[in-house]
Every structure is written in C-alpha cells, then in structure tokens.
Amino acid sequence: MSDPASLPPPEFEIAPLEFEHLDQIESIERRSYPLPWSRTMFAGELVKSSSISLGAFGQGRLIGYLIVSRYVDAWHVMNVAVDSAWRRQGVATQLLEELFVRTEGTAERGYTLEVRPSNPSAISLYEKLGFRARGVRRGYYLDDHEDALIMWKDADEV
Ligand SMILES: CC(C)(COP(=O)(O)OP(=O)(O)OC[C@H]1O[C@@H](n2cnc3c(N)ncnc32)[C@H](O)[C@@H]1OP(=O)(O)O)[C@@H](O)C(=O)NCCC(=O)NCCS
C-alpha cells in the first residue's frame, strides 16, 4: 500500500464563478451554513463590478467558492465555503491566495471579514493567511445573535 504522505496533492483549479454554477454553489452553501445565502444573493454578487467571485473546480465540478466585495479602500471577504469532501486539502487557502494575487496594489487598507468565534477552523485558516482579530460586532448573526469577530489583514502583508 502506498504511503499517504507520498500521494500527490489533489488537483483543482481556480476560475471566476459564472451563472451556470449557481446550482452547485447553492448545494455547497446549504450544507455549509445554518443560515445559507439565497441564490439571489449570489446572483447579485456575480453581476457586481465591485465584487470578485472565484470558484475552485476539481474532478469537473465546483468544490468551493469565495465572494469578496470592494468597500471604499478595503476588500471584504463576504463568503468562503468548501464542499465537505474537499476540506482540509488547501482549497480555501488557494482561493484566498488567488484573491491576494488578483487584488495586488488595490487593497489600500487591506482585507477584512467577520467570523463566528465558534468557528475555530475558519479562524485558524484566516490566521494562517495573516488575518488578525481587531474587534467584535455584538450580536451580528441573525439566527442566534452570536457576536462576530472582525479580522483584518494589512495589504503590505500580502
Ligand atoms: C472554513 C473552510 C472554508 C476551510 O476550507 P478548507 O479548504 O478545508 O481549508 P484549508 O484546507 O485551506 O485549510 C487551511 C488551514 O485552515 C485550518 N483549518 C481548516 N479546516 C480545519 C479544521 N476542520 N480543523 C482545524 N483547522 C482547520 C488549518 O489551519 C488548515 O491548515 P492545515 O490543514 O495545514 O492544518 C471550510 O471548513 C468550510 O467550508 N466551512 C464551512 C463554511 C465556513 O465556515 N466558512 C467560513 C465562514 S467565516
């Protein structure tokens, strides 16, 4: 039997999301969040010129996505999710790394996001990529009024 450590990393590629991916986005979204975004919210982001919407594609299908919006002088990470079968294989990391490349020189104040304190996997992902907690938004989440941790990554750390 081959040693798992010697197996090549799983192959996937990053490309812009299109309307044709909405069914697959919805399917991942519903399985990823207690309060999923609606199809209309995703469609709205896809047409916004101030948003960047990236998909990760493996074995011919969507396996993860990242939605980011431009707010004045910073990029706001709005949504990132990965199909459960593909988690812990670097997909979210690659999506965010691709964002940093695509926005190089345009992130004056850097990158920001909100995350649930009860989501240590996501917090660990963001910390690995240079985000740091810089505040709390009280009762931010509509379903259970959990606070949100506000994280920032400076542009010069890219
Ligand atoms: C959070 C999420 C996007 C991470 O996606 P992913 O592709 O599995 O992440 P990566 O493989 O790039 O992981 C990078 C790092 O994040 C951390 N991490 C990711 N998943 C983790 C887990 N289940 N437990 C602990 N740490 C985890 C680790 O530090 C990991 O590095 P390592 O594997 O070298 O230890 C994914 O778990 C997900 O879709 N969750 C549901 C939706 C969600 O919570 N989105 C974030 C909302 S703010």
Side-chain angles (χ1 to χ4, degrees), residues 80 82 89-98 100 125 128-129:
V80 55
V82 173
Q89 298 177 67
V91 176
T93 300
Q94 278 304 309
L95 282 163
L96 284 153
E97 297 279 17
E98 179 68 21
F100 302 146
L125 161 74
K128 269 200 167 169
L129 290 165

Side-chain angles (χ1 to χ4, degrees), residues 14-130:
I14 310 288
L17 288 170
E18 309 285 351
F19 274 100
E20 69 190 70
H21 303 129
L22 279 172
D23 285 346
Q24 296 178 78
I25 294 171
E26 266 194 303
S27 159
I28 295 174
E29 176 77 6
R30 289 216 190 101
R31 285 182 277 120
S32 296
Y33 292 105
L35 194 64
W37 277 22
S38 67
R39 189 182 182 93
T40 313
M41 287 168 78
F42 282 104
E45 292 298 325
L46 292 187
V47 295
K48 249 194 231 165
S49 60
S50 56
S51 291
I52 294 176
S53 303
L54 298 174
F57 299 87
Q59 294 172 353
R61 64 185 180 89
L62 185 74
I63 58 169
Y65 50 81
L66 171 70
I67 311 280
V68 183
S69 251
R70 176 88 184 157
Y71 283 172
V72 191
D73 54 2
W75 288 99
H76 192 148
V77 177
M78 310 287 290
N79 196 333
V80 55
V82 173
D83 186 317
S84 51
W86 281 81
R87 286 184 190 162
R88 214 65 196 268
Q89 298 177 67
V91 176
T93 300
Q94 278 304 309
L95 282 163
L96 284 153
E97 297 279 17
E98 179 68 21
L99 169 74
F100 302 146
V101 169
R102 286 179 184 238
T103 55
E104 205 180 344
T106 70
E108 293 92 353
R109 219 175 134 215
Y111 304 84
T112 187
L113 55 86
E114 286 90 17
V115 59
R116 289 180 187 261
S118 63
N119 192 348
S121 312
I123 293 171
S124 165
L125 161 74
Y126 300 138
E127 284 179 339
K128 269 200 167 169
L129 290 165

